[in-house]
Amino acid sequence: MKPKENLPTIYNKGLSSHKSLLNMQEKLRQIPSVSSMLMNTRISNLVDEFSSEVITKIVQNTLSEIRSTTNCTSEIPTISEIADQISDHVHTNWSNWPRNVINATGVVIHTNLGRAPLSLESMKAATDSSKSYSDLELELISGKRGSRQVRVSKLLSALTGAEAGLVVNNNAAALMLGLSALALEKEVIVSRSEAVEIGGGFRIPDVLKQSGATLVEVGTTNRTYVEDYEREITEETGAILSIHASNFKIIGFTSTTSISDLSNLGARRGIPVLHDVGSGSLLDTTKYGLAAEPQPQASIAAGADLCFFSGDKLLGGPQAGIVIGRKKYIEKLSRHPLARAFRIDKMNLAALTATLIHYLKEETEAKIPVWQMISATSDDIRKRASNILNKISSNDLYSIEVIQTESTIGGGSLPGETMESVGIKIAGNNPEKLAANIRNGNRPIVSRIEDDAVIFDLRTVLPNDDDILATVISENTKE
Ligand SMILES: *Cc1c(COP(=O)(O)O)cnc(C)c1O
């Protein structure tokens, strides 16, 4: 029988020959009683720390799990073995989570590691908003009910030139809301090259289906022209949707239709043009030696009716889905029932607001971690790497050196683009094991393995964590 997921795994140990002679009843008698378990100090410590009812329950369930998996050859675990397992289970699963990890992968926006770390100001805004009541939906002047969207809409307008803005849970929700509000039971025209999967099972054709819209694919995988869209416009057309290819690149003989051509077409035929830019960088990525990432403000300037992007990718803020564009459409989205279902919470809204203010103050490189990382020069990073190396004592087991390496942006932004970076390389026996030990430690550090060596790319390590990195590497590589 498979252990239940919410119970610690107690493996029955294999048979030992003299015990195999005992019969089943004898086995069952060996299983400790609940009261004897509760007298064990590790269990009584848990009772002191947590609810005694819950701990008693988990003890009972664990014992009945052992009972139900016992056969005449099982070796029954001792009280202290069971207590250890329960205690480990409780301490692993009933502690604050997610745990902080140090990202030494060199992938700036790493979805598995929680995407963008927040600026101090954003973090503070989120905590402030949560520790007390707030005027989230109350106009203090009139005393009347307000909208949580009013301020952020104004900030987004100021930053992008859009008439209005709306924020929801994440960009997937934003897109779903936009399509549901504008194209329910209508057709949505999408280029064949853009009817893609964005990651984590988020596929454009499925999103359309869920929104109650019908996908009409036009063009070919590599080339789509504005005439291809125009030919498919009928009475049934609800929207034209363009999606930025955020996690792949089609190279060679390709042609895509510009947003301004699509917007002209949409305007001429009275059809809203929706542009999902994915990451959406308010800053010009080419200034950092990277390829151009679509900018939401450029999308609006080119005439898109609505532009969609994430809060926690290149914007460098909390998880959020941002929609900017024409007021009449933003209002339509706000009134849709899904807007309520996808509503952003106050902590994220506060953090997003603080992040947007960094842009208005032109202090992105100084304040927003994602932009600090992207704008860091190899020289800056090399200095940090040398300092770290100096703090690590060398030995014969591993060769540890500073190397040049390449970081990527990740998180559905700038596929195929790399930035020159600097890291610490540790070569020696069994790099996978070393990387796993370091990942499983008290201060987990996630590295990458390249050419049989463990690489810690320092571009994505927050400079405050450099000392921890040095200590953890020292501890794990000493003889
Ligand atoms: C990442 C991405 C999304 C989904 O955004 P989330 O904020 O993760 O929900 C949608 N569209 C594109 C093009 C993306 O790159």
Side-chain angles (χ1 to χ4, degrees):
M1 193 173 132
K2 221 173 140 253
K4 296 195 189 72
E5 271 208 24
N6 59 347
L7 292 177
T9 318
I10 308 272
Y11 294 105
N12 283 313
K13 291 187 236 154
L15 100 153
S16 71
S17 56
H18 69 283
K19 284 193 177 164
S20 70
L21 300 169
L22 296 170
N23 64 21
M24 187 69 179
Q25 260 184 342
E26 185 57 32
K27 287 282 167 196
L28 291 174
R29 256 198 299 276
Q30 288 174 14
I31 299 175
S33 66
V34 173
S35 54
S36 62
M37 287 300 305
L38 290 173
M39 281 188 288
N40 174 279
T41 39
R42 291 203 76 180
I43 298 294
S44 61
N45 286 342
L46 292 180
V47 169
D48 291 342
E49 194 179 349
F50 298 97
S51 138
S52 96
E53 204 176 309
V54 170
I55 297 300
T56 309
K57 194 89 213 147
I58 199 164
V59 168
Q60 286 167 338
N61 291 346
T62 305
L63 294 176
S64 59
E65 185 72 22
I66 295 172
R67 204 165 294 121
S68 69
T69 54
T70 295
N71 59 38
C72 0
T73 63
S74 325
E75 191 176 314
I76 307 299
T78 63
I79 291 181
S80 92
E81 283 170 337
I82 301 170
D84 284 353
Q85 303 230 32
I86 291 177
S87 179
D88 288 352
H89 170 84
V90 163
H91 284 124
T92 318
N93 292 291
W94 300 358
S95 49
N96 290 349
W97 190 85
R99 291 175 68 190
N100 285 358
V101 309
I102 295 175
N103 174 11
T105 63
V107 181
V108 178
I109 301 163
H110 201 306
T111 300
N112 299 159
L113 303 183
R115 291 200 182 154
L118 294 181
S119 73
L120 286 176
E121 289 76 4
S122 287
M123 185 193 69
K124 185 163 184 311
T127 15
D128 285 350
S129 77
S130 64
K131 71 183 178 205
S132 126
Y133 293 106
S134 66
D135 62 348
L136 184 66
E137 289 190 350
L138 179 76
E139 283 176 9
L140 291 177
I141 293 175
S142 65
K144 292 208 176 99
R145 176 161 188 183
S147 156
R148 67 180 67 202
Q149 300 286 347
V150 174
R151 303 282 181 121
V152 73
S153 172
K154 285 181 181 152
L155 284 175
L156 289 165
S157 294
L159 279 166
T160 64
E163 287 173 14
L166 174 74
V167 295
V168 292
N169 231 334
N170 59 18
N171 194 24
L175 197 58
M176 188 120 184
L177 171 62
L179 290 165
S180 305
L182 301 181
L184 179 70
E185 285 167 11
K186 297 233 168 155
E187 293 176 351
V188 174
I189 308 179
V190 180
S191 162
R192 212 170 287 277
S193 63
E194 295 175 359
V196 296
E197 172 169 329
I198 283 148
F202 185 72
R203 292 179 160 180
I204 293 299
D206 297 339
V207 174
L208 277 162
K209 205 182 278 167
Q210 283 300 320
S211 318
T214 309
L215 169 67
V216 176
E217 284 185 65
V218 297
T220 60
T221 303
N222 59 335
R223 302 200 132 206
T224 307
Y225 305 95
V226 69
E227 302 80 49
D228 295 325
Y229 289 89
E230 177 139 40
R231 218 174 295 122
E232 293 297 334
I233 295 179
T234 67
E235 288 285 285
E236 299 305 312
T237 308
I240 293 173
L241 172 64
S242 175
I243 302 122
H244 174 55
S246 58
N247 53 4
F248 67 99
K249 237 173 167 170
I250 300 181
I251 47 174
F253 184 66
T254 62
S255 171
T256 52
T257 313
S258 72
I259 291 301
S260 68
D261 285 350
L262 285 183
S263 304
N264 287 337
L265 172 63
R268 198 149 42 76
R269 306 289 298 264
I271 292 167
V273 172
L274 317 185
H275 190 198
D276 175 10
V277 293
S279 191
S281 179
L282 290 173
L283 301 186
D284 177 1
T285 46
T286 63
K287 284 201 186 131
Y288 302 92
L290 295 162
E293 180 73 11
Q295 298 192 262
Q297 62 271 45
S299 170
I300 296 301
D305 293 292
L306 289 179
C307 172
F308 301 78
F309 56 107
S310 292
D312 53 357
K313 291 182 180 173
L314 281 173
L315 190 77
Q319 179 185 309
I322 303 169
V323 195
I324 53 171
R326 285 195 213 291
K327 200 161 180 219
K328 63 172 179 180
Y329 294 125
I330 294 286
E331 281 174 353
K332 205 160 177 193
L333 267 58
S334 323
R335 286 194 302 267
H336 192 278
L338 280 181
R340 172 65 179 78
F342 295 157
R343 163 167 104 176
I344 191 167
D345 78 289
K346 62 188 175 189
M347 291 178 75
N348 278 348
L349 183 59
L352 180 66
T353 301
T355 302
L356 293 173
I357 290 170
H358 290 316
Y359 285 88
L360 286 171
K361 290 187 173 172
E362 290 194 317
E363 57 185 20
T364 47
E365 282 182 26
K367 301 275 191 176
I368 300 181
V370 160
W371 288 103
Q372 288 173 327
M373 291 173 189
I374 293 174
S375 64
T377 65
S378 277
D379 284 347
D380 297 340
I381 305 174
R382 190 175 298 278
K383 277 187 203 122
R384 289 172 47 206
S386 311
N387 282 337
I388 292 173
L389 191 69
N390 285 337
K391 290 179 186 155
I392 303 172
S393 37
S394 64
N395 64 53
D396 294 336
L397 284 179
Y398 295 97
S399 96
I400 307 179
E401 57 180 329
V402 170
I403 53 147
Q404 190 184 313
T405 181
E406 310 243 284
S407 317
T408 54
I409 302 286
S413 317
L414 296 159
E417 287 288 306
T418 57
M419 281 170 288
E420 190 182 293
S421 185
V422 180
I424 307 271
K425 174 180 169 178
I426 308 183
N429 225 348
N430 207 343
E432 275 85 10
K433 181 152 185 287
L434 178 64
N437 287 345
I438 290 179
R439 197 176 59 238
N440 282 307
N442 265 342
R443 282 303 314 265
I445 304 175
V446 185
S447 55
R448 60 172 200 260
I449 301 217
E450 246 171 54
D451 303 330
D452 252 0
V454 187
I455 311 279
F456 298 87
D457 185 332
L458 296 179
R459 183 181 292 280
T460 52
V461 173
L462 300 169
N464 275 342
D465 290 337
D466 283 0
D467 285 347
I468 299 173
L469 191 84
T471 311
V472 172
I473 293 178
S474 291
E475 279 168 5
N476 281 277
T477 54
K478 67 176 177 233
E479 283 161 282

